[in-house]
Amino acid sequence: MNPPLTCTVTRRLLHPYLDGVLSDLERRDVEQHVAGCAGCRQAFVALERTALLVECLPRVAAPPALLARTMAAVRAEHRRARPTAWHPLASLVVVLAAVLGAATVVAASGEPLLATLDAALADPSEVFPTLASLAVEAQLSVVLGSSALLVAGAVALVHLMRGELSAAAAG
Amino acid sequence: MQELEAALIEAARSDPEAFAEVVLRYQDRLYNYLYRMTGSREDAQDLTQEAFVRAYRALPRFNLEAPFRPWLYKIATNLAINHLKGRKPSIVLEEYVPSPPNEYSPERQVEAAETQRLVSQAIAQLPEHYRSVVLLRHVEELSYEEIARTLDLPLGTAKVRLHRARAALQEKLTALGLHGAADRWAKDDATVTP
């Protein structure tokens, strides 16, 4: 059996005692001392009360709009970190804007642009570089993926552009 | 619970919408913690949002074997500490939180509200590193190990800091006259109820 605890040791043990992390033996030793020592009993009561006063504080709830706000920020972070993960349609929309831009270019430059597009149609691997350079000319930056959908869409667009340009050149 | 949480977090890594579940689970707790750390509802909102954004950003690097809660609280605590740097030493809660109505007499409720105000003030007057550990233990109910992880401290250091923080808080409460008030109630009934 251990010798009884001193007040000094007991005071230090009051904290883990309060937190419930003492072994059964240690807990019994502390309780034995506290039972016979008014000073340590008072110290424990004060410590326990301090903890209880904090634990009983009411909680504030997050305002209802915070979830939406946070998720908007999270989605923005998601997009920021993954700039090339565009939806295929987004790329097409940008290229279409480039088409509209290119249509005004043709009025001034005419033939060479048509030839460029014909070459692109002849060789599908040329489609992306062509569209990309046209987009650059129209002062837009386009990140094009290599999915089949994009290829098909881009080829369709080149046809469209060629149709537009022929019409513009004729009219 | 740990399994479910690990699954949620893994899903959230590639799908921001899955992260909404994580936000729902923790936002009230984080908000409450950050409110008590900063004393401002607006700051608590901004910091809660920022904590989740940073957590989302760092999610790919998070080790799924590790506990998530201390990791999230660590992000929040660091944000709060940085936010409070260069500010006046003791924050003042911009408004105190009204307690829900209960069956106590009006006099008792007034006393309870006053007590709550003083406790909030005492916590707000603690230095930040004491304030955080008291809140983490007695409001957020983290274990010693979780507190050590949250504050990036060895376990022994975390325990000592908690003990000192509680002692400091006790002194402040006594200085604010609170322990005397609690004694008065203790005479009325057997339990101490603020």
Side-chain angles (χ1 to χ4, degrees), chain A residues 49 53, chain B residues 111 173-187:
Chain A
R49 191 173 296 145
L53 286 170
Chain B
E111 277 183 44
L173 290 175
T174 306
L176 290 168
L178 222 84
H179 280 295
D183 279 332
R184 188 151 36 98
W185 296 328
K187 290 194 186 92

Side-chain angles (χ1 to χ4, degrees), chain A residues 24-93:
Chain A
D24 289 344
L25 221 60
E26 288 168 323
R27 198 174 64 234
R28 209 192 54 197
D29 283 345
V30 168
E31 284 168 351
Q32 230 159 41
H33 177 97
V34 168
C37 175
C40 286
R41 193 159 55 246
Q42 204 168 24
F44 178 69
V45 167
L47 179 63
E48 188 181 44
R49 191 173 296 145
T50 299
L52 280 173
L53 286 170
V54 179
E55 286 163 13
C56 291
L57 284 173
R59 306 183 68 85
V60 287
L66 188 56
L67 175 63
R69 222 180 100 168
T70 301
M71 283 312 298
V74 165
R75 285 181 202 111
E77 173 59 31
H78 182 83
R79 284 192 300 273
R80 187 196 67 84
R82 296 162 184 78
T84 58
W86 283 27
H87 193 282
L89 280 177
S91 306
L92 293 177
V93 168

Side-chain angles (χ1 to χ4, degrees), chain A residues 78-168:
Chain A
H78 182 83
R79 284 192 300 273
R80 187 196 67 84
R82 296 162 184 78
T84 58
W86 283 27
H87 193 282
L89 280 177
S91 306
L92 293 177
V93 168
V94 173
V95 174
L96 199 56
V99 168
L100 296 173
T104 58
V105 169
V106 87
S109 55
E111 277 289 317
L113 196 54
L114 275 172
T116 310
L117 288 172
D118 280 338
L121 281 173
D123 179 4
S125 72
E126 285 302 303
V127 169
F128 287 107
T130 305
L131 284 175
S133 62
L134 280 173
V136 164
E137 281 171 359
Q139 278 136 39
L140 285 166
S141 66
V142 174
V143 177
L144 299 173
S146 59
S147 69
L149 175 63
L150 273 174
V151 171
V155 169
L157 265 170
V158 170
H159 279 285
L160 181 69
M161 287 168 75
R162 201 183 177 288
E164 284 271 0
L165 290 168
S166 302

Side-chain angles (χ1 to χ4, degrees), chain B residues 55-125:
Chain B
Y56 184 75
R57 189 182 301 157
L59 221 50
R61 295 193 301 278
F62 173 69
N63 171 17
L64 289 168
E65 309 279 306
F68 180 72
R69 188 162 75 149
W71 185 77
L72 184 60
Y73 273 103
K74 186 202 291 204
I75 294 172
T77 303
N78 289 341
L79 279 171
I81 302 283
N82 284 331
H83 176 79
L84 291 166
K85 261 185 198 154
R87 296 199 170 202
K88 289 201 313 242
S90 80
I91 55 157
V92 176
L93 286 181
E94 55 185 24
E95 56 177 285
Y96 78 97
V97 181
S99 299
N102 51 48
E103 66 271 20
Y104 289 132
S105 67
E107 295 79 16
R108 188 71 168 263
Q109 290 191 43
V110 166
E111 277 183 44
E114 178 62 10
T115 297
Q116 184 225 297
R117 191 184 68 80
L118 290 172
V119 173
S120 297
Q121 193 177 320
I123 291 172
Q125 284 172 1

